[in-house]
Amino acid sequence: MDAAWAARSAGRSVLDLLSPEDVLATNRNPITSRTLAHLYLSALRFDFRCPTLQRLVEQLAQTARQPLDCYTRALYAFALLGQSRPEGLTVMDEVLATAEEHTKTLHVLLHGLWLGQDLDEGAERLLALSSRPALATGTDTDTDTDTDPIVLFREAGALRRLGRYDEGLSAIDRAIDCLPPGDISVHADLLRERSLLCAARDLHQHRSPTRTSSGVPS
């Protein structure tokens, strides 16, 4: 949620203003309850507090007066995916069946796949999700003004895990190039991923045996 991210970027946190009790309270109207839940759970997401986020959503599901909305269930999927728990993939598929092309919801799921390094085919699933219409970045540099650097950043991490280093570097360079002027919010993350890609590529090339013209390793 943008409000939780904006607070974090400014060195503040929704977690300082709200408590789990505020989220779990049952004496508010549904819109207020859902808003408070989104704010608090999103703040936990941006702090990568996956176990805490998981537990709170499970408590919320027990106390809520109506079924959890799609975005809250996406945050629950994120918490599970971020811990590389396979049941997170099941929850993700359930969310995708109803989320359609809601960009914020898809970003939450993409974030979870990026964080869950030990998920079965996690990198492949991330690339498949990033190709959905609401997130698709395309490959034509003429359209980079419409691309999302965060999606490209996630894609680059997945490509690195798959050993597709040059493609990952291309994604990172495009992400850096399409950042708004003076935007430093994710610039350091992009440069860090670029360094990881270069290091992984160099290590791979160093380990790969060189071959003679006859095809025999030298």
Side-chain angles (χ1 to χ4, degrees), residues 129-140:
L129 180 58
S130 69
S131 68
R132 289 180 67 123
L135 298 179
T137 58
T139 56
D140 186 348

Side-chain angles (χ1 to χ4, degrees), residues 14-206:
V14 172
L15 303 180
D16 293 329
L17 303 175
L18 298 175
S19 69
E21 290 71 26
D22 293 318
V23 176
L24 297 172
T26 58
N27 59 344
R28 297 189 177 92
N29 68 70
I31 294 177
T32 300
S33 295
R34 186 168 61 247
T35 300
L36 293 176
H38 287 179
L39 283 168
Y40 196 86
L41 297 174
S42 294
L44 291 174
R45 169 198 166 197
F46 292 132
D47 277 1
F48 300 102
R49 301 187 186 188
C50 294
T52 301
L53 175 50
Q54 176 194 343
R55 288 192 297 269
L56 190 54
V57 175
E58 289 172 351
Q59 288 179 269
L60 188 61
Q62 294 174 354
T63 60
R65 290 176 292 176
Q66 56 189 24
L68 298 180
D69 62 280
C70 188
Y71 187 76
T72 299
R73 287 186 287 116
L75 287 164
Y76 183 56
F78 164 82
L80 297 172
L81 294 169
Q83 298 174 79
S84 294
R85 298 184 58 166
E87 58 265 39
L89 296 171
T90 301
V91 178
M92 180 186 76
D93 289 339
E94 293 171 352
V95 172
L96 287 174
T98 58
E100 297 180 347
E101 294 302 317
H102 186 257
T103 306
K104 298 294 185 182
T105 299
L106 298 182
H107 263 290
V108 171
L109 300 175
L110 197 71
H111 194 185
L113 289 171
W114 171 82
L115 188 59
Q117 294 289 307
D118 297 322
L119 291 166
D120 183 36
E121 296 186 344
E124 293 88 347
R125 292 172 186 268
L126 190 156
L127 293 176
L129 180 58
S130 69
S131 68
R132 289 180 67 123
L135 298 179
T137 58
T139 56
D140 186 348
T141 55
D142 290 338
T143 65
D144 274 354
T145 54
D146 298 323
T147 63
D148 187 332
I150 297 298
V151 176
L152 291 167
F153 170 63
R154 309 278 188 228
E155 287 181 354
L159 291 166
R160 171 169 50 81
R161 287 154 61 186
L162 294 172
R164 294 160 59 180
Y165 308 118
D166 289 338
E167 292 176 70
L169 286 169
S170 177
I172 282 294
D173 288 343
R174 288 176 58 215
I176 293 173
D177 198 47
C178 70
L179 282 176
D183 188 330
I184 61 172
S185 59
V186 295
H187 194 266
D189 290 330
L190 294 175
L191 292 181
R192 189 178 303 111
E193 179 58 46
R194 197 179 197 287
S195 296
L196 289 172
L197 279 158
C198 290
R201 184 187 61 180
D202 292 347
L203 181 61
H204 175 75
Q205 292 174 345
H206 178 74

Side-chain angles (χ1 to χ4, degrees), residues 206-217:
H206 178 74
R207 287 180 172 176
S208 299
T210 57
R211 295 181 177 272
T212 64
S213 58
S214 63
V216 178

